[in-house]
Amino acid sequence: MELKARCVLLLAVGLCSTLLLTAVAAHQDEEEEPIMEMAGDMDVEDEMEDMGLGEELDGDGGPEEDMPSGPPPVPKVTYKAPEPMGEHFFAESFDRGTLDSWVLSKAKKLDIDEDIAKYDGQWAVEDMKDSKLPGDKGLVLKSRAKHHAISAQLLRPFIFDSKPLIVQYEVNFQQGIDCGGAYVKLLSQTPDLNLDEFVDKTPYTIMFGPDKCGEDYKLHFIFRHKNPKTGEYEEKHAKKPDADLRTYYTDKKTHLYTLVVNPDNSFEVLVDQTVVNSGNLLTDMTPPVNPPAEIEDPDDQKPEDWDERPKIQDPDAVKPEDWDEDAPQQIPDENAVKPDGWLDDESEYTSDPDALKPEDWDEDMDGEWEAPQVPNPVCETAPGCGTWQRPMIDNPNYKGKWKSPMIDNPNYQGVWKPRKIPNPTFFEDLQPFRMTPFSAVGLELWSMSSDIFFDNFFITNERHTADRWANDGWGLKKAAEGAAEPGLVKQMMSAADERPWLWVVYVLTVALPVVLIIVFCCSGKKKAPAAADYKKTDEPQPDVLEDQEKDDKTDEDQVKGEKSQPAEVRVSDEEESPAEKDDDDDEEEEEEEEGGKTSEEKQQEDEVLRRSPRNRKVRKD
């Protein structure tokens, strides 16, 4: 049974280890599968030829000594600029290397100091610093602690009708992000829209994108809704995503941000083509699109006799006569006894005998000098010094100040609230999707971090067109980054460098199965020989040898005692009882049943049984 338990436990440990490794491998395969699919259409032949592998693959193969030692180099992914296909309103990949179609703002922010009011932050079109895809350029925010503003016109204004809005672009925080944003604004189509004067007050229809300051990680989706009664605009903010956004700001990888707003008022926010937030424009925005039908009357006032107290003191309660409000909370312990050896005549502190009066001490100015007080060394070995006082204990008769008990208020009317009246500004807009058309896209940012990389802006009303653009742009980056990523072992080492506690997990994962195998397989106890092993041998069992020596000594004593007894008694002892005769008959029957045994085997068994102390008959006194 013990061996079976060990085997089951060992199998369970092995199964857990196998499942763990399978999960890790499956996760790695899931990450590599889309990368390989996206890289399947990429042209890597030229890169392989540049590395000297093309000729070797085309030929019959040279001698083995000509082959380079070590693992073959990983082929690089060749960059190909994405081309917009299908209906779209804006597409920008920056692969021309210029900002010809973009406008830098020349305006100043209002209501701030002149020194920081200018939009003087620098922009550039360049490759990423640690680019895995040479030739892929993007728009880079170069300055830190500066205001930046840049914008571009759409091919034609986007009008919210019967088709969805899809906005997507890529962001890479190359230096991380401390405090700043990377969101985009869709600028409303107005007669006075001037991109040269693009500022934070410029009207926009939608603001979307990441924003972070301190430990507050945000992914904005804000749209400006027009009140049909007053004509005023109010910002509506989507609820905060439930997903953890921290990784997108700290891993220094390129991430694809996508916003989808549908004509049925539903919306989705995606990061790397994974939904992180979704909802409805009517129910999941703050403040709500439609105001309440009723509001509290601002002119209503609470009556003076309105009683909001749920409980009051009992007016009929009377203080008990034996209630002593003057009793102290603590009293001296009358049962306490002064410890033996208490030094009443010694003070707890005494003047420091080693202290000296400073030479510059002026008694006229500083007063009479006194040595500082130090603990009395005499009291160190005594239970205490000074006047002994009884310790204080809680007074069992203490009750404190008497108060009337609380009872339910019979006049309680509840918490007063103003009465409701119809909302004079009430309206009901069941189609908030029909927002103000927009005709430009802009970045109006302030950041404490530099080198924020933007790329592959795309605005369309077709989902499959947006997905194709994403696969041709961001998908290529992901494939290149995946090809350059280290293997599983290097990833585990890198993760352990960032989180040292992972080393403990690694050691336990490897060492625990080995230790269990050694313990279970190499530390079994030797099984004691069974009694059956001695059945057909003349050698006495170990316990028989010990008991035989004791019985021999006992037999000698009994023989001496028998000699001293009368002859009649000895004769009666030699006679067997009926029970003993029955035992002998049973033994004879067993011997007859064992007719197949040889006479030598029977003699050996009889000899063992005769010598065994268990078969000795007790002598009667």
Side-chain angles (χ1 to χ4, degrees), residues 290-300 417-427:
N290 296 316
E294 291 183 336
I295 60 172
E296 295 180 348
D297 186 359
D299 299 327
D300 192 14
K417 294 181 180 180
R419 64 173 177 266
K420 297 285 188 177
I421 61 172
N423 186 357
T425 62
F426 172 74
F427 64 86

Side-chain angles (χ1 to χ4, degrees), residues 4 11 46 91 141 165 179 207 218 300 317 324 330 353 359 379 390 422 431-432 447 451 520 548 596 620:
K4 291 182 179 179
L11 288 175
D46 295 339
L141 182 148
L165 167 68
C179 186
M207 188 177 89
K218 298 179 181 179
D300 192 14
D324 186 3
Q330 288 190 326
E359 296 180 356
C379 301
R390 297 180 182 274
Q431 292 294 330
S447 176
D451 295 321
F520 291 159
Q548 185 173 356
K620 294 182 180 180

Side-chain angles (χ1 to χ4, degrees), residues 470-502:
N471 291 334
D472 293 343
W474 173 77
L476 207 60
K477 287 188 178 69
K478 184 177 181 181
E481 292 176 354
E485 282 185 355
L488 179 61
V489 175
K490 290 185 178 179
Q491 291 181 13
M492 295 174 64
M493 298 288 287
S494 177
D497 291 340
E498 297 177 1
R499 304 173 184 85
W501 55 268
L502 285 176

Side-chain angles (χ1 to χ4, degrees), residues 121-343:
Q122 299 297 315
W123 298 90
V125 176
E126 59 187 23
D127 291 4
M128 280 191 294
K129 290 186 175 180
D130 188 18
S131 177
K132 305 296 187 301
L133 202 60
D136 181 17
K137 299 183 182 299
L139 178 65
V140 181
L141 182 148
K142 300 296 293 182
S143 308
R144 61 183 304 273
K146 295 280 187 179
H147 291 286
H148 303 73
I150 191 171
S151 57
Q153 286 283 353
L154 271 61
L155 299 177
R156 60 187 182 281
F158 185 94
I159 299 175
F160 295 87
D161 46 21
S162 60
K163 293 186 177 181
L165 167 68
I166 298 99
V167 181
Q168 67 183 21
Y169 67 105
E170 301 169 14
V171 178
N172 187 314
F173 298 104
Q174 300 183 86
Q175 304 295 333
I177 182 72
D178 295 327
C179 186
Y183 42 82
V184 63
K185 290 183 177 181
L186 307 181
L187 305 182
S188 302
Q189 184 185 19
T190 58
D192 56 349
L193 177 61
N194 184 3
L195 300 185
D196 290 330
E197 299 297 323
F198 175 36
V199 294
D200 57 332
K201 303 296 183 182
T202 301
Y204 67 88
T205 300
I206 289 178
M207 188 177 89
F208 166 67
D211 187 14
K212 184 244 181 186
C213 197
E215 292 300 316
D216 189 10
Y217 300 87
K218 298 179 181 179
L219 184 53
H220 292 296
F221 167 42
I222 305 170
F223 78 94
R224 294 172 72 244
H225 180 261
K226 183 179 181 180
N227 189 317
K229 280 195 170 183
T230 63
E232 297 179 353
Y233 285 88
E234 186 179 23
E235 290 183 350
K236 309 296 181 181
H237 296 249
K239 63 181 181 180
K240 189 174 181 180
D242 296 331
D244 186 8
L245 307 176
R246 184 189 304 268
T247 304
Y248 306 129
Y249 298 83
T250 58
D251 61 1
K252 298 182 181 180
K253 293 183 179 180
T254 303
H255 295 288
L256 177 68
Y257 295 88
T258 306
L259 170 67
V260 180
V261 186
N262 297 306
D264 62 354
N265 299 321
S266 63
F267 69 87
E268 289 181 335
V269 177
L270 302 92
V271 181
D272 297 343
Q273 298 181 330
T274 300
V275 177
V276 297
N277 196 7
S278 62
N280 193 284
L281 300 179
L282 289 172
T283 58
D284 297 305
M285 307 301 290
T286 304
V289 170
N290 296 316
E294 291 183 336
I295 60 172
E296 295 180 348
D297 186 359
D299 299 327
D300 192 14
Q301 295 181 354
K302 184 174 70 172
E304 295 181 358
D305 59 346
W306 190 277
D307 195 345
E308 293 183 338
R309 301 172 300 167
K311 290 186 177 294
I312 59 174
Q313 292 183 346
D314 187 359
D316 300 330
V318 179
K319 183 176 70 173
E321 296 181 357
D322 59 346
W323 192 283
D324 186 3
E325 294 184 347
D326 299 329
Q329 186 174 0
Q330 288 190 326
I331 57 175
D333 185 5
E334 299 297 335
N335 298 325
V337 179
K338 183 173 70 174
D340 295 337
W342 190 279
L343 304 179

Side-chain angles (χ1 to χ4, degrees), residues 571-582:
V571 171
S572 63
D573 290 341
E574 294 176 356
E575 296 179 355
E576 294 182 354
S577 63
E580 292 174 347
K581 291 181 179 180
D582 293 340

Side-chain angles (χ1 to χ4, degrees), residues 286-530:
T286 304
V289 170
N290 296 316
E294 291 183 336
I295 60 172
E296 295 180 348
D297 186 359
D299 299 327
D300 192 14
Q301 295 181 354
K302 184 174 70 172
E304 295 181 358
D305 59 346
W306 190 277
D307 195 345
E308 293 183 338
R309 301 172 300 167
K311 290 186 177 294
I312 59 174
Q313 292 183 346
D314 187 359
D316 300 330
V318 179
K319 183 176 70 173
E321 296 181 357
D322 59 346
W323 192 283
D324 186 3
E325 294 184 347
D326 299 329
Q329 186 174 0
Q330 288 190 326
I331 57 175
D333 185 5
E334 299 297 335
N335 298 325
V337 179
K338 183 173 70 174
D340 295 337
W342 190 279
L343 304 179
D344 296 279
D345 299 333
E346 295 288 343
S347 61
E348 188 175 359
Y349 290 92
T350 183
S351 299
D352 187 0
D354 299 330
L356 299 175
K357 182 174 71 173
E359 296 180 356
D360 57 350
W361 188 274
D362 188 352
E363 294 188 355
D364 295 336
M365 296 292 295
D366 304 326
E368 184 179 358
W369 180 81
E370 295 180 356
Q373 298 291 304
V374 296
N376 193 342
V378 179
C379 301
E380 293 180 358
T381 57
C385 295
T387 303
W388 180 80
Q389 295 181 350
R390 297 180 182 274
M392 303 297 289
I393 60 174
D394 293 335
N395 185 1
N397 299 322
Y398 172 76
K399 296 182 179 180
K401 187 175 179 61
W402 182 84
K403 294 181 181 180
S404 300
M406 302 298 290
I407 62 173
D408 294 335
N409 184 3
N411 300 322
Y412 176 65
Q413 296 175 274
V415 178
W416 182 84
K417 294 181 180 180
R419 64 173 177 266
K420 297 285 188 177
I421 61 172
N423 186 357
T425 62
F426 172 74
F427 64 86
E428 188 174 24
D429 182 4
L430 299 180
Q431 292 294 330
F433 170 77
R434 299 184 181 278
M435 307 175 194
T436 304
F438 61 91
S439 59
V441 58
L443 299 169
E444 189 270 320
L445 306 170
W446 181 89
S447 176
M448 288 299 296
S449 302
S450 61
D451 295 321
I452 301 177
F453 184 88
F454 300 87
D455 199 7
N456 293 331
F457 289 87
F458 197 70
I459 300 175
T460 182
N461 56 10
E462 297 177 348
R463 189 69 176 264
H464 64 278
T465 303
D467 292 341
R468 184 186 301 114
W469 174 270
N471 291 334
D472 293 343
W474 173 77
L476 207 60
K477 287 188 178 69
K478 184 177 181 181
E481 292 176 354
E485 282 185 355
L488 179 61
V489 175
K490 290 185 178 179
Q491 291 181 13
M492 295 174 64
M493 298 288 287
S494 177
D497 291 340
E498 297 177 1
R499 304 173 184 85
W501 55 268
L502 285 176
W503 287 112
V504 179
V505 178
Y506 297 162
V507 171
L508 291 177
T509 304
V510 176
L512 185 59
V514 176
V515 173
L516 291 175
I517 291 173
I518 295 174
V519 171
F520 291 159
C521 298
C522 303
S523 62
K525 295 181 179 179
K526 292 184 178 179
K527 187 176 179 181

